[in-house]
């Protein structure tokens, strides 16, 4: 299904990113595993060096992104898909307690980092016969996320970036979509839930919680594999007419 694809996956040192990289490799793709942390080497070990390349990359540094893209093309000879998964959760605070620098730091990774990756990959994507970009957004970009204003703003920004890039790259037959996960199983959601609970001791702060009433399905925690499967579909041959879309993998947590 992806045997002719070379993918560049950011934030692939663990979590969703590692799951995406392994899923692509299982379907025959070559994968550049990009992140700031040493976990990328564990991901490559899990996949095998014949199909995977570890590239240290900080998406907030454009020179780092450019070098990582170049290393990918040098190793595999092409680049067909960019998966912008690198992201930070940001502060869990009421909006009036959020430091402006912390707010901008979240945008730098979650939005500007994605733009930088597509910018430097674009010449190669345009040359590909099935160029694609998949941005990992969140249901936080479509519904209220109390005490998560920097994160929610960044994910809505990523949705807007997705739609715009789809039109700018569409003339060259490059598809651009975003996947919106709900609460994905793992350490990150547990940390966020714990931080929300801590706000009970903060004056004028109201902790937010998630539960079955917020979702259509009672079992609303999302397996990483469900997200990875959707990303692989969007990068594959059966999604060539799917572009400029936000596809939620969220147990019915968003309704538009």
């Amino acid at each position: 299904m992806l045997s002719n694809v070379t993918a560049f996956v950011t934030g692939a040192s663990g979590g969703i990113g590692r799951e995406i990289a392994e899923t692509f490799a299982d379907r025959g793709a070559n994968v550049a595993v990009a992140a700031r942390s040493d976990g990328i080497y564990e991901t490559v070990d899990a996949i095998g060096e014949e199909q995977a390349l570890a590239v240290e990359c900080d998406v907030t540094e454009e020179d780092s992104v450019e070098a990582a893209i170049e290393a990918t093309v040098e190793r595999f000879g092409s680049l067909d898909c960019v998966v912008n998964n690198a992201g930070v959760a940001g502060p869990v605070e009421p909006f009036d307690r959020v430091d402006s620098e912390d707010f901008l730091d979240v945008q730098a990774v979650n939005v500007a980092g994605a733009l930088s990756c597509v910018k430097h990959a674009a010449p190669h994507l345009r040359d590909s016969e099935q160029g694609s970009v998949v941005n990992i957004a969140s249901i936080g970009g479509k519904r209220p996320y109390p005490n998560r204003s920097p994160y929610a703003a960044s994910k809505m920004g990523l949705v807007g970036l997705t739609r715009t890039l789809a039109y700018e790259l569409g003339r060259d037959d490059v598809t651009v979509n975003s996947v919106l996960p709900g609460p994905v199983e793992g350490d990150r959601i547990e940390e966020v839930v714990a931080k929300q609970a801590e706000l009970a001791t903060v004056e004028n702060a109201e902790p937010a919680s998630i539960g079955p009433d917020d979702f259509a399905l009672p079992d609303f925690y999302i397996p990483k594999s469900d997200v990875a499967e959707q990303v692989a579909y969007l990068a594959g041959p059966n999604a060539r007419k799917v572009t400029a879309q936000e596809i939620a993998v969220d147990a019915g947590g968003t309704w538009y």
Side-chain angles (χ1 to χ4, degrees), residues 81-157:
C81 177
V82 171
V83 180
N84 286 307
N85 171 71
V88 293
V92 181
E93 295 275 9
F95 74 93
D96 52 358
R97 290 171 54 91
V98 173
D99 182 83
S100 59
E101 287 191 13
D102 290 341
F103 183 92
L104 292 174
D105 286 345
V106 174
Q107 314 315 308
V109 177
N110 295 4
V111 187
L115 175 62
S116 183
C117 290
V118 178
K119 173 182 174 180
H120 289 285
H124 309 290
L125 298 177
R126 288 181 166 118
D127 286 342
S128 172
E129 293 184 358
Q130 56 182 89
S132 66
V133 176
V134 185
N135 296 321
I136 307 302
S138 166
I139 61 172
K142 281 199 167 186
R143 57 177 285 176
Y145 251 32
N147 307 314
R148 302 290 307 283
S149 56
Y151 183 80
S154 74
K155 293 305 184 177
M156 180 55 83

Side-chain angles (χ1 to χ4, degrees), residues 44-56:
V44 169
D45 287 343
I47 294 171
E49 293 185 357
E50 289 186 4
Q51 280 182 267
L53 171 69
V55 283
E56 296 183 8

Side-chain angles (χ1 to χ4, degrees), residues 89-94 147-148 188-202 207-208:
V92 181
E93 295 275 9
N147 307 314
R148 302 290 307 283
R188 176 175 287 190
I189 189 63
E190 293 177 6
E191 291 173 5
V192 169
V193 169
K195 288 179 180 179
Q196 287 280 10
E198 291 172 5
L199 293 177
T201 62
V202 176

Side-chain angles (χ1 to χ4, degrees), residues 183-186 189 193 210 218-223 251:
V184 175
E185 296 173 342
I189 189 63
V193 169
I210 57 173
D219 184 7
F220 56 86
Y221 279 94
I222 312 299

